[in-house]
Structures are given as structure tokens and as C-alpha cells.
Amino acid sequence: MDVDISYEIERLLQYGLEKKLIHKEDVVYTRNKIMEVLGLEDINEVYINTEELSSPEPILRNMLKWALQKAYYWMMELTPGTYLTQRLWDV
Amino acid sequence: MDDGVDAWDLFDTKIMGCLIGRPSEIISTFFNIYRRDKKEATDYFYNLSKASNYIRTDRIAKDMKWKTQTEYGELDITINLSKPEKDPRAIAAEKNLKTTSYPKCLLCKENEGYSGRINHPARQNHRIIPITINNENWFFQYSPYVYYNEHCIVFKGEHEPMKISRETFCRLLDFVEQFPHYFIGSNADLSIVGGSILSHDHFQGGNYEFAMTKAPVEKEYAIGYGKKVKGYRIKWPMSVIRLEAVEKCDLIESAYQIYLKWKNYSDVDAGIISHTNGIPHNTVTPIARMVDGRFQLDLVLRNNRTSEEYPYGIFHPHQELHHIKKENIGLIEVMGLAVLPARLNNEFKELTDYLVNPHKLLEIDKNEKLIKHKEWAIEINRKYGPLMHDQVEEVLKNEIGQKFLKVLEDSGVFKRDVEGQNAFDKFMESVNRDSKE
Ligand SMILES: [Zn+2]
């Protein structure tokens, strides 16, 4: 299933607020930083449910899956069966 | 896991780096809390290090941990599934390696915010706290591997090699004065008996009571310095002198004198020779803590000499234990926590099948991974007979714990028998004699 990256970004921001890594004044700024890292110019406005996570790992795993899917479509045309595409199936 | 660093880690660390404050914000928050409550300050920083995923709590949770009861108390065993193991001889070779890369090592302060590369972890989400000990600039951080509760690392601002000196004792005691709820220790500064990083001076500490900490006093020694410093031998498989004093300076002075004495101490009957062709073998693993407002310093006597019979080290786990542990016996093991390599996890799982079906032991030679455990498996079978599925894990864990006790006994310079303990007394008498002169 495709990952909704906009949704995952909001989840991560919520995690950051919950763990006091960021404050509410940092939210817009941090969203932009994450978008930059992910190479996104645009995201959708989404609403998320509150959740309590002890680790950001589930969110990061989805983001990675998203990045690999993006890379996968791109790489299939170039070099099918490479290390990266192999690893996609482990995610 | 290859060498502990994956392209994935570089990716998700970069994302987490977006969520953490700049160093100056973290540092000022830390010291604002510290001024009010020291423990609360470290709680804040420990939680931050976990929340930022610098400490990967989901990975740490996969480590296998248990305790084994022995005559020296409960030893801790951890099979580490998140960090690769290093060959002691490779570690020794690294000490002489030219350092040209950036950051110079895994500890250097330049790691803070570093984007990483395939053989060096990304650290965008990593923060360090500057502290002053012995009037020098050092830094405080947590270990990403958390071998025990609040496992912290204190490292020198400059990339300089491990060196036990008078200053070491000053730094350790300064640290516990500033963080009285933490212990702190240094690895020895010689190969084989030291830790895995000899190229950068650092300590390890934390909020955990090891079996060695709880070990009872066996004997009190007069060590000079009037009655200001108390000296004890504790009941432990390795050779530990426990010193106690109210004043830091008294403790530093007596520890330093004992260290100097030990550096040049030989007792041929006990197999202890301090130098070979001018190359030193004797050193100590020092550990400091505060107990009821008094300073306590444990000096664990170490010797790294090798011989034809024991090419890996005379006071190092001997060959027959290498199938479980052949890595350096550093500070953490010394205190009673075995950190065992990840490969053992799979080997033990496979081994259970042989112990439940002992007739298979005849064919264990066919299993390349398990050949090295053969004698041990036969010994366990002789002791327990065929094991049931629901007891094999428990038995194996206990037997591993007993092996670890042997590892510590091999690493002790004065053996636990009467001759060994007499040799220990003889050393302490010479310490006392010199301090009076
Ligand atoms: Zn360094």
C-alpha cells in the first residue's frame, strides 16, 4: 500500500510536540525542514488522530518505505534488482 | 547488520535532526534544570536522547538480557543485537592508526550534527553537554547502545589517547561530585585490558548498581594516610582495592600512589611481571562513586602480558572461553556485566536443538557455526541429561552466566585461592610500607 507522506509528516510533528522535542511555535518551521529533507515542494493538508508513541520508529519506517517506493519506480527503469530495490522488500 | 551503519540510518537520522533544538538551547535548558536539581537535569537529557531517536529504543529492546546467580552475586548478561564486535588485536592496531578523517573518531565532539557516511553514523539528532572536570573541557552524552540504565559517556574535548594518570582520578571524582547519582569509570589504557576505543580519552558512567558495586568488603587494609583513607579488598573474582574518603584530595593522592606502586610491581610467583623490555603491562581500571556523602574509588588491578601459552593474554579469558567471549574485558565487564556479541544469539538458538536431542551431538561437527561450542554442549549434556524444551533456555542462560564468571576469574591478577589472596596481601603491605616512608 502506498504511504501517505503528508499524513506521516503530521504524525512525526505530533510525536515531536508530545516528546517536547519541539514547541508549538516550531511546528510550521519544522514541517518545512522535514519537507526539505524529503525533497517535497508540496504536501496535502491532513487531519490526524492523537496517538502516543514510545518511539518514532513506526513513522520513520513508513517514511523510508515512501522514499524507497519513489526510488523504486525510478530505479526499475535503470537497474532492476539492485541492492536498494532488494531492500525494499524487507521493509 | 553489516558494520552497524545502514543507508537507512543515515536517512531517518536526517529526518530526526529536524526535530531537535540547537545545542545552545539544549545546554541552557539542561543547566537551568541542573541548578535546581541534578537528577532532574540528567533525566531531561536522557529522555531527550531517547525521544530524538539518538538512542534507538526499539532496537535496544531487542537485546537479550538476563541475570545469573553466582557466589559473587547476580552477574548481568546482555547479548547485544545492535552493535558489531571488534577483535582485540584490531583495536590494538587502531591505537597506532593515523587519524586523518573527520570526525577523528566516534567520540569526538565534531560528531554533533554530523550527517554521517556509510562507515560512520549520522548524528544530526545528537547533542552533547559541556562540563568542566579537573579544570578541563569535557563533554557529557549518553551511549547510543545503553548497556545499562542511563549509560553515559564523558569524553575529552580534544582527541587524545586514553591515559591513566593522576588527572584521571581528579576527573573521575570531580564528575561524581557534580553528578552524585551517577558512578563513573575509566577503561584501562593498555590494549587487551582496555576498552574498544583507546584513541580518545573517555569515561563511562550511569545510574546502575552492578554486582561489583554491591560486593561485600572482605578485608580492611592499612594504606597509610592516617585514618583519612580507608582501603578494602572486596569479594570479587577480579582484584579490586576499594578506597573511601571524605576529602577528594586524600583519595586522589592515595589512589595515585597505589597506581604508581602497581605499575612497577612484579610478583613472579603470581605470574605478575610489570614490564617486558621496557614495555609496561600493569595498569588499573578505576571506578568512582559517591556513597552517603563519601567518595569511593575502586581500583581494579590489570596486567596485559601475553605468553606462548596465552597469546591473547594471561589475565584475559583463556582459549577455552573464547567461544563465548574473546573480546577485551573492559570496564563494564569488570563490574559484572557481560556484553556478548550478536552472533551468539543464533548459535544458542541452534544449540538448544542439540541439547534437547542429545543424539544429534554426535553430528555437531557438521555444523560449522557450532563446532566451537561442542565441548561445552557435551559438558552440559553430561550435567543435565536430555533437556526439555521448556527448560533448555533457562539452563543455557545459567551456563553462559557461569562461563562469564570464569572469564572474570581468568582476568583477575590475584587468583581467588589462598596463594592468590596472600599475594594480594603482600602487594597491599608494600603499598602501606611505602606510604609511611
Ligand atoms: Zn576522538
Side-chain angles (χ1 to χ4, degrees):
Chain A
M1 211 179 71
D2 280 355
V3 173
D4 179 352
I5 194 65
S6 305
Y7 181 77
E8 299 302 331
I9 291 173
E10 294 314 306
R11 280 178 84 197
L12 192 61
L13 290 168
Q14 180 179 262
Y15 169 86
L17 283 167
E18 179 70 27
K19 294 287 179 187
K20 298 192 175 72
L21 286 167
I22 54 171
H23 301 280
K24 65 178 192 307
E25 299 89 334
D26 302 318
V27 170
V28 171
Y29 171 85
T30 308
R31 184 184 293 113
N32 281 326
K33 295 297 280 184
I34 297 171
M35 285 172 65
E36 185 186 335
V37 167
L38 297 175
L40 290 170
E41 291 168 354
D42 189 19
I43 51 167
N44 302 320
E45 208 169 302
V46 292
Y47 295 95
I48 56 163
N49 301 321
T50 47
E51 60 178 345
E52 263 187 54
L53 290 171
S54 60
S55 156
E57 200 55 32
I59 307 169
L60 295 172
R61 208 178 303 129
N62 283 344
M63 288 184 162
L64 183 71
K65 201 168 161 184
W66 171 83
L68 288 172
Q69 275 169 353
K70 255 184 47 168
Y72 179 63
Y73 297 133
W74 166 71
M75 284 182 63
M76 273 309 276
E77 313 208 337
L78 298 164
T79 48
T82 59
Y83 176 72
L84 195 64
T85 53
Q86 286 290 312
R87 296 301 291 268
L88 173 62
W89 308 117
D90 304 338
V91 177
Chain B
M1 201 171 296
D2 324 282
D3 49 2
V5 183
D6 252 338
W8 300 14
D9 287 14
L10 297 178
F11 172 82
D12 66 20
T13 306
K14 193 172 183 182
I15 296 172
M16 290 311 290
C18 303
L19 276 101
I20 191 165
R22 288 197 182 203
S24 60
E25 295 167 32
I26 310 285
I27 293 163
S28 96
T29 307
F30 179 88
F31 282 106
N32 280 338
I33 305 172
Y34 180 90
R35 276 187 283 276
R36 193 176 70 232
D37 189 319
K38 292 167 182 166
K39 189 182 175 311
E40 232 177 86
T42 53
D43 283 348
Y44 154 76
F45 190 49
Y46 189 51
N47 288 329
L48 179 90
S49 302
K50 288 192 284 189
S52 71
N53 214 34
Y54 161 73
I55 296 174
R56 292 174 179 262
T57 51
D58 66 307
R59 244 177 238 176
I60 306 296
K62 289 178 190 144
D63 288 349
M64 299 243 322
K65 285 174 191 283
W66 70 90
K67 287 175 185 286
T68 296
Q69 186 62 46
T70 70
E71 60 176 305
Y72 298 99
E74 279 188 323
L75 300 181
D76 288 293
I77 317 285
T78 293
I79 298 185
N80 185 268
L81 299 173
S82 42
K83 195 192 177 191
E85 62 182 306
K86 270 177 154 186
D87 187 296
R89 288 179 290 194
I91 295 166
E94 261 177 37
K95 195 182 187 183
N96 307 312
L97 222 62
K98 245 200 197 163
T99 50
T100 46
S101 54
Y102 179 94
K104 286 190 182 122
C105 77
L106 288 167
L107 290 177
C108 274
K109 59 180 183 293
E110 286 77 15
N111 281 285
E112 188 176 37
Y114 186 59
S115 61
R117 47 175 203 267
I118 207 64
N119 62 354
H120 194 108
R123 291 287 185 239
Q124 288 101 329
N125 58 351
H126 176 43
R127 293 295 177 265
I128 57 180
I129 304 286
I131 58 169
T132 305
I133 48 176
N134 190 41
N135 298 314
E136 302 157 340
N137 298 325
W138 285 61
F139 291 90
F140 172 83
Q141 66 170 59
Y142 287 99
S143 159
Y145 303 111
V146 217
Y147 291 147
Y148 49 84
N149 185 44
E150 293 171 59
H151 179 179
C152 70
I153 296 173
V154 175
F155 64 94
K156 201 172 191 183
E158 308 307 318
H159 178 84
E160 285 168 12
M162 295 290 294
K163 179 87 201 98
I164 302 286
S165 62
R166 193 176 188 283
E167 281 72 42
T168 308
F169 305 122
C170 303
R171 292 165 186 149
L172 293 175
L173 294 173
D174 272 2
F175 180 84
V176 292
E177 192 174 41
Q178 292 171 33
F179 298 91
H181 55 299
Y182 278 5
F183 78 88
I184 188 98
S186 171
N187 262 312
D189 52 353
L190 299 179
S191 60
I192 299 175
V193 297
S196 57
I197 300 180
L198 288 168
S199 63
H200 195 141
D201 211 353
H202 69 285
F203 309 139
Q204 298 187 75
N207 188 2
Y208 189 72
E209 221 179 28
F210 290 90
M212 192 187 91
T213 316
K214 290 186 259 191
V217 166
E218 239 174 14
K219 184 168 185 170
E220 182 167 355
Y221 289 114
I223 52 159
Y225 307 97
K227 289 194 173 67
K228 287 191 286 190
V229 181
K230 299 239 182 240
Y232 306 99
R233 183 178 81 208
I234 59 170
K235 188 186 173 190
W236 192 245
M238 293 182 71
S239 310
V240 187
I241 301 163
R242 177 161 292 170
L243 300 171
E244 238 181 56
V246 176
E247 300 294 336
K248 258 193 306 186
C249 52
D250 295 330
L251 199 49
I252 290 164
E253 205 43 48
S254 66
Y256 185 54
Q257 292 308 322
I258 293 171
Y259 168 62
L260 286 182
K261 181 82 199 166
W262 173 247
K263 266 181 88 161
N264 294 302
Y265 189 79
S266 293
D267 181 338
V268 180
D269 295 334
I272 295 160
I273 296 169
S274 70
H275 291 78
T276 303
N277 301 327
I279 297 165
H281 297 306
N282 286 1
T283 185
V284 296
T285 302
I287 299 131
R289 62 185 81 83
M290 294 219 66
V291 180
D292 302 327
R294 298 163 63 85
F295 291 95
Q296 205 176 71
L297 190 61
D298 288 346
L299 299 179
V300 189
L301 305 176
R302 310 300 302 271
N303 176 293
N304 79 341
R305 192 164 65 93
T306 57
S307 65
E308 233 166 79
E309 193 185 357
Y310 301 116
Y312 281 86
I314 299 168
F315 304 102
H316 182 77
H318 293 165
Q319 224 98 27
E320 70 271 16
L321 299 171
H322 286 185
H323 66 110
I324 304 265
K325 182 86 187 168
K326 71 161 190 266
E327 299 79 19
N328 290 357
I329 301 308
L331 168 71
I332 296 172
E333 278 88 9
V334 162
M335 293 186 290
L337 191 162
V339 181
L340 303 178
R343 62 173 166 83
L344 285 178
N345 194 36
N346 292 326
E347 293 171 12
F348 293 153
K349 269 187 199 140
E350 282 190 43
L351 200 59
T352 57
D353 184 37
Y354 290 83
L355 295 170
V356 173
N357 305 294
H359 63 275
K360 288 189 181 172
L361 281 171
L362 296 168
E363 291 176 15
I364 199 166
D365 289 332
K366 287 183 191 156
N367 190 327
E368 237 175 84
K369 269 193 290 178
L370 296 187
I371 294 175
K372 56 181 176 296
H373 299 305
K374 182 182 173 182
E375 272 177 51
W376 183 49
I378 291 170
E379 195 185 303
I380 293 174
N381 177 245
R382 207 174 289 144
K383 192 165 158 189
Y384 298 92
L387 290 162
M388 308 297 256
H389 275 291
D390 59 349
Q391 62 172 168
V392 64
E393 188 182 328
E394 207 48 46
V395 166
L396 210 46
K397 281 180 172 175
N398 180 55
E399 290 298 320
I400 293 165
Q402 302 305 331
K403 278 269 178 186
F404 178 51
L405 174 55
K406 291 210 173 76
V407 163
L408 293 180
E409 284 171 343
D410 280 355
S411 309
V413 289
F414 295 120
K415 296 307 171 193
R416 291 291 301 171
D417 53 16
V418 177
E419 290 88 28
Q421 296 304 294
N422 286 342
F424 198 150
D425 290 349
K426 201 168 108 194
F427 172 65
M428 293 310 289
E429 275 157 28
S430 75
V431 165
N432 188 33
R433 201 167 46 238
D434 284 10
S435 69
K436 279 174 188 157
E437 281 162 10

